[in-house]
Amino acid sequence: MRANISRSLDQGNYGSENMNVFVANISEMGMNTTYSPIAISPTNVIIAVCLLISFLVGTTINGLFLWVLVVRMKNTVNVLWFRHLLLIFLIVSSIIPFFAVHRLLGFHWIFGNVLCKVLNALGSLGMFFEVFILTNISLDRFFAVCHPIWSQHNHTIPRAQRIIAGTWLVSLLFSVPYLIFRETHEATNRRIICANNYTFFLDAEKTERDVLAYHIQLALFVIRFLLTFLLPFVIIAGCYYKIGKEIKKRRLVEQNGKTFKILITSVASFFICWLPYHLYYASQLLGKLSDGIHIFLSSVMSAGMCFNFCFTSSLYLFVGQKFQQVFKTSIVTLLQRDFADAPFVFVDNINMEDGNDQ
């Protein structure tokens, strides 16, 4: 039963009359409004422990990989892409304990209004930046294969640095709504709620405020869905489709095929892990659905987000490797193989070289 409030609390929304509508929704779900915010349920304990484990794994793995890429590897365009990708993984992984405590206390927010805004804005920043950087990487590989001459003259570190700086800026701008709309409110049951308030600036009748709040919520969802899921999916899928056709047509092969596999793994992980997130928010806009559906979507969404930020980078060690090879080779060596700027060459050239060696 307490899990039901995650749809309104964890990434919740509320509108008119200073949360009266939200409290009414809690009552409709059968929630006892005299519930103490310090009550701890076994379910929330289990989920909080899982979140803390994700925090430990995410910060350790992402921090270690980022250290290797910064300290032990040559500065190349490919390394630069993944340095910033791992940086955003590390940032988001590091804020998970706040949400673990939030869940442990039954969605009672104890960290104040500023952190309510900032921490949720950081989560939004991670989502936007990750999908934008993955799109940039996919376009970079597309030009390397399909337009090699252009790529040879433009595949430079200064250009990549400018693109990454622009990606950070755009991602920050799209995360601003969380700084504006997210805020805390004390409900009648002494629970401190951290949720989106879309009507705090509106001076209108209750019905009109509710309609305007819904339209704002819908607009933000559509923008988020288009920019972080649908359009990137079309662009990335199109890039890899063209890359596959060009490789087959020109009989090309990447000297380090593992780099390409890692890109595919990163992109697949992103879309698989974030699909429940968009389904969850879509369900909020569709109206009342069964509690079971909301619980399921909320749980899958949380698991997907944690896996995406905390465990995706660890897959890099296993893509294209036999399991035992991972433990026989140093992490530095593995990552040097993974993130090298591997060129594409003609298959015929490889065959000729093999023949000469013989």
Side-chain angles (χ1 to χ4, degrees):
M1 180 173 60
R2 295 188 185 103
N4 296 346
I5 62 175
S6 62
R7 60 177 163 175
S8 299
L9 290 173
D10 209 10
Q11 281 86 26
N13 313 298
Y14 58 91
S16 61
E17 291 193 336
N18 297 325
M19 279 292 291
N20 288 341
V21 172
F22 176 77
V23 175
N25 290 338
I26 294 178
S27 299
E28 290 177 5
M29 290 185 288
M31 175 63 67
N32 182 2
T33 56
T34 63
Y35 171 80
S36 172
I38 62 173
I40 299 176
S41 71
T43 301
N44 287 336
V45 171
I46 294 173
I47 295 176
V49 169
C50 292
L51 289 174
L52 290 175
I53 292 173
S54 299
F55 159 73
L56 293 175
V57 174
T59 53
T60 301
I61 297 296
N62 293 322
L64 177 61
F65 286 6
L66 184 60
W67 178 83
V68 172
L69 263 64
V70 171
V71 176
R72 302 297 298 275
M73 293 190 64
K74 181 181 177 181
N75 194 30
T76 66
V77 172
N78 205 33
V79 168
L80 200 59
W81 295 130
F82 282 95
R83 280 179 186 170
H84 287 266
L85 183 60
L86 288 170
L87 175 60
I88 199 64
F89 282 176
L90 181 60
I91 290 173
V92 177
S93 297
S94 65
I95 67 175
I96 288 179
F98 292 95
F99 298 101
V101 173
H102 181 225
R103 186 73 185 235
L104 183 65
L105 298 180
F107 302 99
H108 172 59
W109 187 260
I110 64 173
F111 302 108
N113 191 56
V114 173
L115 284 181
C116 172
K117 292 176 176 289
V118 172
L119 294 177
N120 284 279
L122 284 175
S124 176
L125 173 66
M127 176 179 64
F128 279 107
F129 184 83
E130 181 186 1
V131 69
F132 291 160
I133 206 70
L134 288 174
T135 304
N136 287 331
I137 294 173
S138 301
L139 289 170
D140 181 55
R141 305 309 293 170
F142 165 76
F143 286 113
V145 177
C146 300
H147 303 280
I149 297 177
W150 184 92
S151 178
Q152 186 177 2
H153 292 89
N154 294 275
H155 186 77
T156 63
I157 291 177
R159 181 179 292 270
Q161 289 173 333
R162 290 193 293 270
I163 292 174
I164 290 172
T167 303
W168 277 109
L169 179 60
V170 171
S171 302
L172 284 169
L173 290 176
F174 281 117
S175 301
V176 167
Y178 275 94
L179 295 175
I180 296 175
F181 295 115
R182 205 76 170 184
E183 64 179 30
T184 57
H185 179 83
E186 184 175 356
T188 55
N189 59 348
R190 297 186 293 115
R191 187 191 308 275
I192 302 299
I193 299 165
C194 173
N196 292 329
N197 181 6
Y198 297 116
T199 62
F200 70 92
F201 60 92
L202 298 176
D203 184 15
E205 295 295 329
K206 175 186 180 301
T207 303
E208 184 178 353
R209 287 202 304 270
D210 289 342
V211 171
L212 290 174
Y214 176 81
H215 287 161
I216 294 172
Q217 183 181 357
L218 177 62
L220 291 176
F221 168 79
V222 171
I223 292 172
R224 201 164 50 229
F225 178 74
L226 289 176
L227 294 182
T228 66
F229 196 84
L230 183 60
L231 292 180
F233 179 79
V234 172
I235 293 172
I236 292 172
C239 285
Y240 288 122
Y241 173 75
K242 293 292 291 184
I243 288 172
K245 286 189 62 177
E246 194 69 15
I247 289 176
K248 184 177 181 180
K249 174 184 176 182
R250 297 171 58 190
R251 302 188 68 198
L252 295 171
V253 64
E254 193 180 17
Q255 287 182 342
N256 182 5
K258 193 164 182 225
T259 304
F260 189 77
K261 293 177 182 178
I262 286 175
L263 297 179
I264 297 294
T265 300
S266 301
V267 173
S269 173
F270 176 87
F271 287 109
I272 292 173
C273 292
W274 283 101
L275 177 60
Y277 173 90
H278 296 287
L279 292 176
Y280 174 84
Y281 275 103
S283 70
Q284 287 189 324
L285 293 168
L286 292 176
K288 290 186 177 181
L289 298 177
S290 67
D291 292 342
I293 294 177
H294 281 292
I295 293 172
F296 174 77
L297 289 176
S298 176
S299 301
V300 175
M301 177 187 68
S302 299
M305 292 172 66
C306 284
F307 183 88
N308 178 73
F309 288 116
C310 300
F311 296 93
T312 297
S313 55
S314 62
L315 296 178
Y316 299 159
L317 293 182
F318 297 93
V319 174
Q321 295 276 7
K322 293 182 179 178
F323 186 79
Q324 61 270 24
Q325 289 177 337
V326 174
F327 298 96
K328 293 180 180 180
T329 309
S330 70
I331 292 179
V332 175
T333 302
L334 286 172
L335 294 182
Q336 285 175 340
R337 294 176 185 174
D338 293 351
F339 302 122
D341 279 343
F344 286 82
V345 297
F346 285 100
V347 174
D348 291 341
N349 292 343
I350 296 178
N351 295 334
M352 290 176 61
E353 292 174 2
D354 293 340
N356 293 336
D357 291 340
Q358 295 174 353

